[in-house]
Amino acid sequence: STHTVQAEALLERTGLHGFFAATIGGDQVEKPKPHPEIYLRAARAIGLRAADCAAFEDSGPGTRAAVAAGCITVQIPDVAAPDAGLRRLGHHIAPDLHSAAIAVRLLPDPR
C-alpha cells in the first residue's frame, strides 16, 4: 500500500532495490488491499502468473489480497495475530521472515 517513491527509497536505503525487477506501490492501483489488484499487477510486471509468486504479508488486508490473487502467501503477523476467519484462508503463517522463506522453499528446511 506504500506509495512507489517511498517504497523504492526504502529499498535503496536498505540495499535491496537491485533484488526487485519491479516495484508496484499503492499509488499505482485503483483498488486498495484487500482487493488483489496490486498483486496481480506486480505479477504481470515481472511476466509471471500470481500463482507462481510468493507473497509475504504482515496484515490481514494484505494477506487477503495475496490469497485472492492466487499467490503462495505467508503471513508474518506484526501488530495483530490472524483471527479465525483469516486462518481459514489456508495460507502459511510464520513467526519471522526466515521461517517464511523456509515455508515457501526459498530456503532449505534445516530439520
Side-chain angles (χ1 to χ4, degrees):
S1 300
T2 303
H3 282 214
T4 308
V5 172
Q6 293 167 312
E8 288 182 339
L10 180 59
L11 290 171
E12 282 289 342
R13 278 196 314 273
T14 58
L16 296 172
H17 193 270
F19 291 98
F20 294 89
T23 306
I24 306 298
D27 57 315
Q28 294 184 48
V29 296
E30 291 184 27
K31 299 175 183 169
K33 297 172 185 177
H35 193 278
E37 180 184 4
I38 197 162
Y39 279 104
L40 296 171
R41 185 166 178 163
R44 272 195 312 273
I46 60 173
L48 294 173
R49 298 176 315 130
D52 296 324
C53 297
F56 300 94
E57 270 292 345
D58 62 346
S59 71
T63 298
R64 290 184 189 287
V67 170
C71 297
I72 301 162
T73 305
V74 183
Q75 183 180 11
I76 307 159
D78 182 23
V79 175
D83 61 26
L86 200 57
R87 288 180 178 277
R88 282 193 289 274
L89 295 178
H91 62 290
H92 301 278
I93 300 171
D96 53 55
L97 191 54
H98 184 260
S99 300
I102 292 169
V104 297
R105 298 189 176 126
L106 288 175
L107 292 174
D109 191 336
R111 292 179 282 174

